[in-house]
Amino acid sequence: PRLAQMLPPTLLGLDAAARLLADAIGQDRHVLVVGDFDCDGATACAAAVRGLRMLGARRVSHAVPNRQVHGYGLSPTLVDELAGLEPDLLVTVDHGIACHAGVAAARERGWQVLVTDHHLPGPTLPAADVIVNPNQPGCSFPGKSLAGVGVMFYVLLALRRHLREAGRLSEPEPDLGQLLDLVAVGTVADLVPLDVNNRALVAAGLRRLRSGSGNPGLVALAEAAGRELHRLTAADIGFAIAPRLNAAGRLEDMALGIECLLSDDLRHARELASGLDRINRERRAMQQVMTDQAEAALSTLRLEGPPPVAACFFDASWHAGVVGLVASKMKDRLHRPVVAFAPAAPGGNELRGSARSIPGLHIRDVLATVDARNPGLLGRFGGHAMAAGLSLPGTHLEAFRDAFRACVEELVDPAILQAELMSDGELSSDELCHASALALRDGGPWGQGFPEPQFDGEFEVLGWRQVGERHVRLELAAGRARVPAIHFGGWDGREPPPRVRIAYRLEPDDYRGGEAIQLVVVHREPA
């Protein structure tokens, strides 16, 4: 898909948002963009600040909540801290639709509030001046899968159109296409479905990065991850760039990540990216310890019988910024909806949880049902079909575990509790070649809701070796083809059998270069 195929800007509230921002720019008022502490929120914040400045705003600043201090979104506590900045207009990005108290606190101070968000709303909307969210009631915009940064990009497009029609644009007209690499990174990182609209945005952003004209912060992050810009893919965003940005919000302060994305000095951006890379290494080590502890708890559960339809994990030593990653790992391990909890603050009673679900079970709807049936059990919650966040007092944990499992048992179709691997079939030995690998890579961008093709087949194992603690490298043969393979996380302490049946992706092996290829194994079993 190309940008020419983008959906027209028909989001509810878009024209009102453009007028609100145009008035603020024309009156030289202070616009404060309030970001979020994940990658979508950080890229949306950077896109908003950069875009507003390109469109003539002279007084634009930004702020972001600290996960440990403020919790999620625009809270009254955060509003109190922002008062010293004396903003006239708050613009929330990637949050706000569930922040009733925070929006009310800002309005009470006389500030205007523009909410831009994509999360599913509750039964009532916050009392903002304007709300732009494709998922709010009454919005006919068909692209319901926009990420937070995508919503903000549409707002900026509407603002530019409004200024153009009012004769207030400078010449040459600002090129908002410069923000598309930020849109691509936030969209891929947030795991929203890559429908036609999102694929057009992501593909355009990738083209910008590959051409060498991308955001200096993103360029520096790709370099820190050892990725070559000219062959960057959506997978590189998901596995290399996004985790380094997310790590700042998980363990420290996303302000560091946003500063990296707002830097126009590549040398400074590289210094910031190096710091983000260090934080990400700390995050990986912490995540491994927490996942190992969850695996140990799972072993205890299995001694008591088959796994339940849903699982909750908690450890008082866990870090609230990493529980989402643990929940995701355990969801993959069990193929069950999982919630992982950690103390919101050391020694405190409040718990923060992250929920991850399997296809066919809408996890935010599950939490909404639990909340409706058990008033006062949950604190706050929100999210999407596959991922959600919540808070509750520690004394409510056992009651929540029981209510959550009961609700999942009632709502889940037992058939979806059996994991499935979808295959596009077998490749012939002649198709296991560099030309096929390049065609598959360039056929994307692949991602959530638009998965990269994977194949299956039987292979002879010519050789193998353990790589690191958890991976296996294999030398495989099928007909005339001899091909290397890597199975990440595939080491189980046992020698592979002489023949294996695998599900795999075919990729160019950029590490070896030339026309080298490799199979990336996603499942392996004896033939």
Side-chain angles (χ1 to χ4, degrees):
R2 313 294 292 185
L3 285 177
Q5 296 172 266
M6 271 181 62
L7 293 169
T10 58
L11 289 93
L12 180 65
L14 208 55
D15 291 339
R19 290 193 298 271
L20 192 67
L21 289 167
D23 289 346
I25 294 171
Q27 297 167 21
D28 199 25
R29 300 168 71 206
H30 180 195
V31 180
L32 176 59
V33 179
V34 184
D36 189 25
F37 42 61
D38 69 356
C39 188
D40 186 18
T43 52
C45 182
V49 171
R50 287 183 173 276
L52 289 171
R53 288 173 177 166
M54 290 166 64
L55 293 170
R58 290 180 294 182
R59 298 177 62 203
V60 182
S61 60
H62 69 279
V64 62
N66 184 293
R67 187 189 296 264
Q68 304 301 320
V69 177
H70 308 107
Y72 171 78
L74 184 69
S75 64
T77 304
L78 180 60
V79 168
D80 289 342
E81 290 192 15
L82 299 177
L85 299 176
E86 299 183 347
D88 299 301
L89 169 61
L90 287 191
V91 179
T92 73
V93 290
D94 192 35
H95 71 279
I97 202 69
C99 301
H100 296 72
V103 170
R107 294 288 303 279
E108 286 172 5
R109 290 183 176 273
W111 308 341
Q112 293 179 306
V113 179
L114 165 60
V115 167
T116 74
D117 200 353
H118 69 127
H119 294 93
L120 298 175
T124 60
L125 299 178
D129 291 85
V130 181
I131 297 174
V132 182
N133 181 334
N135 291 300
Q136 69 174 309
C139 184
S140 61
F141 182 74
K144 304 299 184 184
S145 297
L146 277 178
V149 66
V151 174
M152 190 63 224
F153 186 65
Y154 267 91
V155 170
L156 292 168
L157 291 175
L159 173 59
R160 184 177 64 178
R161 180 181 62 188
H162 180 91
L163 294 173
R164 180 192 302 126
E165 292 173 352
R168 293 171 52 189
L169 271 188
S170 59
E171 293 291 341
E173 188 171 289
D175 178 15
L176 295 179
Q178 295 176 27
L179 307 175
L180 282 166
D181 49 359
L182 291 168
V183 177
V185 170
T187 299
V188 171
D190 217 47
L191 298 179
V192 294
L194 291 188
D195 58 14
V196 171
N197 201 52
N198 280 338
R199 290 209 308 281
L201 292 168
V202 171
L206 280 170
R207 286 194 296 271
R208 185 167 187 83
L209 284 166
R210 288 173 186 154
S211 72
S213 57
N215 178 289
L218 295 178
V219 169
L221 285 165
E223 291 176 353
R227 297 304 201 269
E228 297 183 32
L229 283 175
H230 69 279
R231 52 174 58 138
L232 207 69
T233 67
D236 293 318
I237 291 175
F239 293 105
I241 295 176
R244 284 164 172 78
L245 272 173
N246 274 329
R250 293 185 188 282
L251 299 189
E252 296 194 14
D253 188 345
M254 185 48 95
L256 179 65
I258 295 173
E259 183 183 355
C260 183
L261 299 180
L262 287 175
S263 176
D264 290 319
D265 182 338
L266 185 56
R267 179 181 297 180
H268 180 53
R270 284 172 172 153
E271 293 173 358
L272 295 169
S274 177
L276 291 167
D277 186 60
R278 172 189 56 78
I279 298 169
N280 190 53
R281 289 196 298 271
E282 294 174 9
R283 186 273 306 167
R284 279 202 303 253
M286 184 180 295
Q287 177 187 342
Q288 191 59 61
V289 169
M290 291 167 60
T291 303
D292 288 346
Q293 290 170 338
E295 290 274 8
L298 176 60
S299 299
T300 303
L301 277 176
R302 285 188 164 160
L303 291 175
E304 302 169 355
V309 296
C312 291
F313 296 93
F314 165 73
D315 192 288
S317 67
W318 286 358
H319 193 292
V322 187
V323 287
L325 301 172
V326 174
S328 183
K329 288 283 187 183
M330 299 311 294
K331 179 266 298 182
D332 292 341
R333 178 92 161 76
L334 287 166
H335 196 70
R336 298 287 193 275
V338 168
V339 186
F341 287 98
N349 179 51
E350 185 186 19
L351 302 184
R352 296 256 174 85
S354 281
R356 297 293 184 270
S357 193
I358 55 178
L361 183 69
H362 197 299
I363 196 66
R364 188 201 169 277
D365 286 356
V366 171
L367 295 180
T369 303
V370 170
D371 183 58
R373 293 178 179 176
N374 303 271
L377 181 64
L378 300 184
R380 295 198 301 171
F381 68 92
H384 307 289
M386 301 296 287
L390 68 155
S391 64
L392 49 78
T395 51
H396 291 184
L397 179 59
E398 288 303 319
F400 170 79
R401 179 181 281 121
D402 293 341
F404 180 63
R405 286 179 179 171
C407 188
V408 171
E409 277 188 351
E410 178 184 329
L411 297 177
V412 75
D413 177 356
I416 71 171
L417 297 178
Q418 176 62 50
E420 289 184 335
L421 273 175
M422 304 302 291
S423 169
D424 290 292
E426 295 190 45
L427 291 178
S428 69
S429 58
D430 291 339
E431 290 170 320
L432 293 171
C433 64
H434 193 249
S436 297
L438 285 179
L440 288 164
R441 183 176 71 183
D442 296 341
W446 312 108
Q448 190 76 16
F450 193 67
E452 183 174 359
Q454 62 185 25
F455 309 93
D456 71 281
E458 290 190 9
F459 293 83
E460 180 184 354
V461 179
L462 302 178
W464 67 277
R465 62 185 173 88
Q466 182 182 350
V467 179
E469 293 184 5
R470 300 173 180 272
H471 317 306
V472 182
R473 185 164 284 284
L474 303 153
E475 290 296 325
L476 304 177
R480 298 187 305 274
R482 302 289 187 272
V483 60
I486 181 73
H487 190 178
F488 293 111
W491 174 243
D492 59 5
R494 296 177 294 180
E495 178 178 350
R499 289 187 65 80
V500 292
R501 182 169 183 246
I502 62 172
Y504 64 90
R505 298 190 307 273
L506 172 63
E507 296 183 353
D509 188 345
D510 294 333
Y511 181 76
R512 290 193 297 161
E515 295 198 348
I517 61 170
Q518 67 176 356
L519 309 185
V520 179
V521 179
V522 296
H523 174 74
R524 185 178 91 237
E525 61 187 37

